[in-house]
Amino acid sequence: RVLPNLFITGSSNLTKAGLSLQEEFNVEVKDYGFEEAEKYFNHLWTNSVELTEKDVKQILEVIETQTMLKEITPFEAYAYLLKLYLELHAGEVPKDLREFMEEKGYRPFTYQLEAVSQAVANIKIHNGTLIADVVGLGKTVIACLTAKALGGKGIVICPPHLIGNENAGWLKYLEDFELYHWKVFSLGNLRGALNYVCKRPDIQVVIVDEAHRFRNEKTQRYHLLREICRGKQVILLTATPFNNRPSDLFSLIKLFTVPQKSSIVLDEDLYSKFAKYESEYKKIAYIRHYHNSKKEKQREKAKAYYRSLFHNELFITEIDLQKVNQRAKNLSKKIKHILNPVVIRRNRLDLKHYEEKIDLPEVKDPQEWFFELTKEQLGFYDEVIQSFAPLEEGGRFAGAIYYPARYENEDKEDKFDLLYQSNLYGFMRKLMVKRFESSLGAFLQSLRNFKEAHIKVLEFATKTNHFVLDERLMKNLLEETEEEEIERKLKEYAEEEELEKEQIKKYHKVYKLSQFKRKKEFLQDIEKDIALFEHLEKRIEKLGLIKEEPK
C-alpha cells in the first residue's frame, strides 16, 4: 500500500552489527518538507551515473586484487599474523626503566621488562591488561613498572593484608618505584575508593591485586569496582584468572572493555562469544555430573546435551566421557586464544629460554606432614566443631542477633526475612569454623570480637526493648570473602553509637521485642552465645594452645 506524502531518509545498516550494536538514525518526513525532500531525491536520481557491466567487473577486479579481500595463501596469512604478534610483544622497553630498577636495588630481569612492554601495548590498544604469571614471578614489580611507564596517577586495590607499610606490601612498592601520588585501598573500602576517584579526575590508572576475587559480577562490590575502573587504564593481577567457568574470566575482562564493542576481537562482539562459551560449559558440566545419575530424567537431559554438542551422534545410547573431556580442553583453548591479546601469563618453564640466570625457588612435590594432638586437644577440637554445627544437629551457637526473624510470630507472612537471615546465620557459623581452621590466634580474636558485639547488642536490647539489624550489613557480609574484612565490619557495626540514638538509617530494620512471640528465648539465646564465647576463650587459654599451636 502506498502512503501519500511520506518520505524516509537516513542510514540503515541491515547487518547483525548494524541492528544489534550500532545506533542507526532514520527520519520520517510527512506533509511538511515532503516536496523539498522529493525534489532533492529526484535531482540525485536524475544525475546519477549508471554502472555498466564493464564498470562492475573493474570494481570487482580492484577488490579481488588490490584490497584485503584478495586471495591470500595460508603462508602469507601466517606470516602476517606472526608479524603483528612480534610487533605487539616486542615493543621497546625504555632504557631508563632498566637503569631505574638497578638504582632502586631491583634486578632488571628481561622477562619482567618484556612483560612491561607488552602490558603497556595492551593498555594503549585495549585500555587494560591482565597480568597472570604464576606465583613468584613478580607480578607486583611488573605492575609498578607498567604504571611508571604509563606515567599517570592512580590507585591500588588489594586485600587488607597486602596493603603493608614502609617495609613491606604495596605501600613499600609504591615508595620504591616513586609512585608518590598513588593511594592504596582495601578490598573492603571500595566505596571510599570510588568516592576518591570521583573527586580526582586526574586518576588515570587502577591496579587490582588478586583480581580473581571479583569473578562474580552479581555482587555489589563488583559493581563498585566496575565504576572505579570506568574510563581508566586497568591492570589486573591474578595467578588464577580462569578458575571455574568462562563467565569468571569474562567478568574480569569487562572491567576495561565494552563487551559488545571490544577491540579484543575482530567483530568487536565479545559478549556473544562468551555467551556461547558459557552455554557450552554448562552442558559439559551437566554431562560430567549427571551422565550416570540414578534419576532417569537427569540421565536423559545429559544425553540431550551430549547430542547437542556432538551432532554426528544423534542416536547415541552411551556417553563417551573422553570426548566430553576433550571438548572441555578445546573450549579452554578457544578462550585462551581469544584473550591472548590482553593476558600475560608465563610459568617457570617459559623462563628457561632466557640466557640470564633467574634464581627461582625449586618447586617440589608436596609431602605429607603429620602432627599429633593430645586427648584434651582432640576433645576441644571436636567441641568447637560441634558448637558451631546447626542447632538441629546439636549445635550450641544460636546466632540470635543474626536471625531475629526466627523469634517473631511464627505465622509471619514475609518469608524473605527468614530465608535471608537463615543464610546469614549459616554464614556466621561457617566463618567461625574457618577462623578456627585458619589459626587458633585468629579464632581467639574472633571469639573476643563476637563476644563484645553480643554484649553491646544485649545491653541495647535490654535498655530500649528494641533490636536493630542492619540489612545493608547483612548483604555486604554475605558477599564478602575476606575474613579480616568481615571482622572489621562487624566490629564497626558493634561500635556504632547511632544505634543508641533515634537516627535509625533506612537500611536498618527495627524490631520491637514486645512483639516477639519468643522474646524471652531471644534474650536468653544471646546470653547463651556470650557464655559459649567465654567458655571457648577460657578453654584455649587453659590448654595453652596459643603458645604451642599443634599445627
Side-chain angles (χ1 to χ4, degrees):
R1 181 186 173 193
V2 178
L3 299 176
N5 298 342
L6 178 64
F7 198 103
I8 298 176
T9 181
S11 168
S12 293
N13 178 5
L14 302 180
T15 63
K16 179 183 177 183
L19 293 172
S20 61
L21 302 178
Q22 299 173 10
E23 297 180 357
E24 303 296 351
F25 185 74
N26 294 277
V27 177
E28 178 185 291
V29 180
K30 191 173 182 182
D31 297 326
Y32 180 77
F34 172 78
E35 292 182 358
E36 290 83 352
E38 183 181 38
K39 183 177 178 181
Y40 180 62
F41 175 82
N42 288 336
H43 169 73
L44 293 176
W45 187 263
T46 303
N47 292 281
S48 62
V49 178
E50 183 179 357
L51 292 177
T52 65
E53 187 175 345
K54 182 180 178 182
D55 294 329
V56 174
K57 284 183 177 179
Q58 287 179 337
I59 293 173
L60 291 175
E61 184 179 352
V62 170
I63 292 174
E64 293 171 354
T65 60
Q66 300 180 30
T67 70
M68 288 299 291
L69 295 178
K70 69 180 181 179
E71 184 176 348
I72 300 173
T73 66
F75 177 77
E76 289 173 330
Y78 167 75
Y80 180 69
L81 288 174
L82 183 61
K83 175 176 176 291
L84 290 178
Y85 179 85
L86 292 174
E87 287 177 351
L88 176 63
H89 289 72
E92 292 185 7
V93 179
K95 291 182 179 179
D96 56 345
L97 278 187
R98 186 181 292 273
E99 296 170 357
F100 176 78
M101 288 185 73
E102 291 174 341
E103 289 175 5
K104 293 296 180 178
Y106 287 85
R107 187 175 171 186
F109 289 115
T110 302
Y111 79 90
Q112 290 182 337
L113 293 170
E114 286 181 356
V116 173
S117 173
Q118 186 180 344
V120 171
N122 290 350
I123 292 169
K124 288 183 177 178
I125 298 171
H126 306 294
N127 208 46
T129 192
L130 201 158
I131 301 174
D133 285 341
V134 298
V135 175
L137 300 194
K139 291 187 290 293
T140 306
V141 171
I142 294 170
C144 288
L145 285 172
T146 302
K148 189 76 176 174
L150 292 172
K153 296 178 182 178
I155 65 169
V156 175
I157 295 172
C158 68
H161 65 277
L162 296 180
I163 293 176
N165 49 43
E166 64 276 5
N167 299 315
W170 273 103
L171 290 176
K172 177 183 184 300
Y173 280 108
L174 294 182
E175 181 73 21
D176 286 352
F177 288 91
E178 297 183 2
L179 299 170
Y180 297 130
H181 300 290
W182 281 56
K183 286 201 69 173
V184 184
F185 290 90
S186 162
L187 293 179
N189 189 23
L190 293 177
R191 288 190 182 278
L194 180 58
N195 291 335
Y196 179 77
V197 298
C198 287
K199 295 175 183 177
R200 294 286 303 272
D202 57 334
I203 299 298
Q204 302 170 19
V205 186
V206 177
I207 296 175
V208 184
D209 199 358
E210 295 199 14
H212 52 269
R213 295 172 182 265
F214 294 91
R215 289 190 297 258
N216 185 1
E217 62 178 290
K218 294 180 181 179
T219 63
Q220 183 185 41
R221 68 183 199 167
Y222 177 86
H223 289 285
L224 287 172
L225 180 62
R226 195 166 184 179
E227 288 303 310
I228 292 168
C229 294
R230 190 180 298 279
K232 310 290 188 297
Q233 296 174 323
V234 181
I235 304 172
L236 304 176
L237 309 182
T238 175
T240 55
F242 191 13
N243 191 273
N244 290 319
R245 53 201 312 153
S247 58
D248 292 346
L249 186 52
F250 191 35
S251 297
L252 300 182
I253 301 303
K254 283 194 287 187
L255 291 172
F256 59 80
T257 189
V258 180
Q260 291 178 309
K261 291 186 178 180
S262 176
S263 58
I264 297 174
V265 289
L266 291 176
D267 64 359
E268 298 186 340
D269 190 4
L270 200 62
Y271 179 86
S272 295
K273 284 182 171 55
F274 268 90
K276 181 181 177 182
Y277 296 152
E278 185 71 11
S279 174
E280 187 174 345
Y281 166 83
K282 287 180 179 178
K283 291 178 181 178
I284 291 172
Y286 193 93
I287 294 169
R288 283 173 162 176
H289 192 70
Y290 294 110
H291 71 282
N292 59 353
S293 172
K294 294 179 180 180
K295 296 181 180 180
E296 183 181 357
K297 188 176 181 180
Q298 291 176 337
R299 291 198 310 272
E300 289 303 316
K301 187 175 180 180
K303 288 180 181 179
Y305 279 155
Y306 184 85
R307 287 190 288 268
S308 70
L309 292 177
F310 304 98
H311 300 293
N312 58 335
E313 300 189 28
L314 296 178
F315 304 101
I316 58 102
T317 55
E318 295 294 331
I319 289 175
D320 187 344
L321 272 186
Q322 190 173 352
K323 284 189 175 182
V324 176
N325 292 334
Q326 186 58 48
R327 185 69 178 250
K329 289 181 181 178
N330 292 339
L331 175 61
S332 179
K333 287 179 181 178
K334 288 179 185 176
I335 295 172
K336 289 177 182 177
H337 175 71
I338 279 191
L339 296 176
N340 186 58
V342 293
V343 177
I344 301 170
R345 182 168 178 81
R346 286 87 50 88
N347 56 38
R348 287 172 172 79
L349 291 177
D350 296 323
L351 270 56
K352 289 184 177 181
H353 300 293
Y354 290 89
E355 293 181 1
E356 59 189 344
K357 183 180 179 182
I358 301 170
D359 299 321
L360 290 173
E362 183 182 356
V363 180
K364 298 181 179 179
D365 293 334
Q367 295 180 347
E368 291 180 325
W369 182 18
F370 295 96
F371 58 91
E372 295 182 2
L373 301 174
T374 66
K375 186 177 179 180
E376 279 191 319
Q377 290 171 343
L378 277 170
F380 176 69
Y381 272 63
D382 290 340
E383 181 184 2
V384 171
I385 298 300
Q386 185 59 44
S387 295
F388 293 98
L391 290 175
E392 58 271 19
E393 296 177 15
R396 296 171 59 189
F397 175 56
I401 71 171
Y402 307 114
Y403 202 169
R406 183 172 52 189
Y407 301 86
E408 285 187 286
N409 191 335
E410 293 178 356
D411 299 326
K412 179 181 173 66
E413 293 182 2
D414 186 3
K415 303 297 182 183
F416 179 74
D417 279 354
L418 287 170
L419 178 62
Y420 204 4
Q421 293 177 21
S422 172
N423 290 339
L424 184 66
Y425 165 63
F427 180 83
M428 290 302 172
R429 288 191 302 100
K430 293 173 184 175
L431 172 65
M432 293 302 289
V433 174
K434 283 177 69 177
R435 297 294 276 169
F436 176 63
E437 292 175 343
S438 173
S439 77
L440 284 165
F443 180 62
L444 180 61
Q445 186 59 49
S446 295
L447 287 174
R448 289 168 177 167
N449 291 342
F450 271 53
K451 182 179 72 173
E452 183 181 349
H454 279 65
I455 290 173
K456 291 194 175 185
V457 168
L458 182 61
E459 289 176 352
F460 177 76
T462 304
K463 183 170 63 176
T464 66
N465 200 39
H466 285 78
F467 173 72
V468 182
L469 185 63
D470 189 333
E471 294 180 344
R472 189 184 67 176
L473 173 74
M474 292 167 60
K475 188 173 188 298
N476 288 342
L477 290 178
L478 289 171
E479 291 176 356
E480 188 59 69
T481 58
E482 192 72 33
E483 286 107 346
E484 289 84 356
E485 283 301 308
I486 294 170
E487 296 242 12
R488 183 182 64 80
K489 289 177 181 177
L490 285 170
K491 192 170 184 180
E492 287 179 357
Y493 178 68
E495 293 172 352
E496 276 188 3
E497 294 181 0
E498 289 183 72
L499 296 183
E500 298 184 8
K501 300 177 183 178
E502 294 182 357
Q503 302 172 358
I504 303 301
K505 298 178 183 178
K506 63 180 180 180
Y507 46 79
H508 284 155
K509 187 174 180 68
V510 182
Y511 291 89
K512 291 183 178 180
L513 299 191
S514 58
Q515 296 177 356
F516 274 23
K517 188 173 182 178
R518 300 162 57 197
K519 172 187 173 181
K520 185 177 179 180
E521 188 177 346
F522 174 71
L523 295 174
Q524 286 177 344
D525 280 348
I526 297 178
E527 291 174 346
K528 287 178 182 178
D529 283 344
I530 293 172
L532 173 64
F533 301 143
E534 289 178 340
H535 167 72
L536 294 176
E537 186 179 351
K538 289 177 181 177
R539 287 277 285 156
I540 291 174
E541 293 172 352
K542 183 179 178 181
L543 292 171
L545 293 173
I546 297 299
K547 294 179 181 178
E548 295 182 13
E549 185 172 344
K551 284 191 292 183

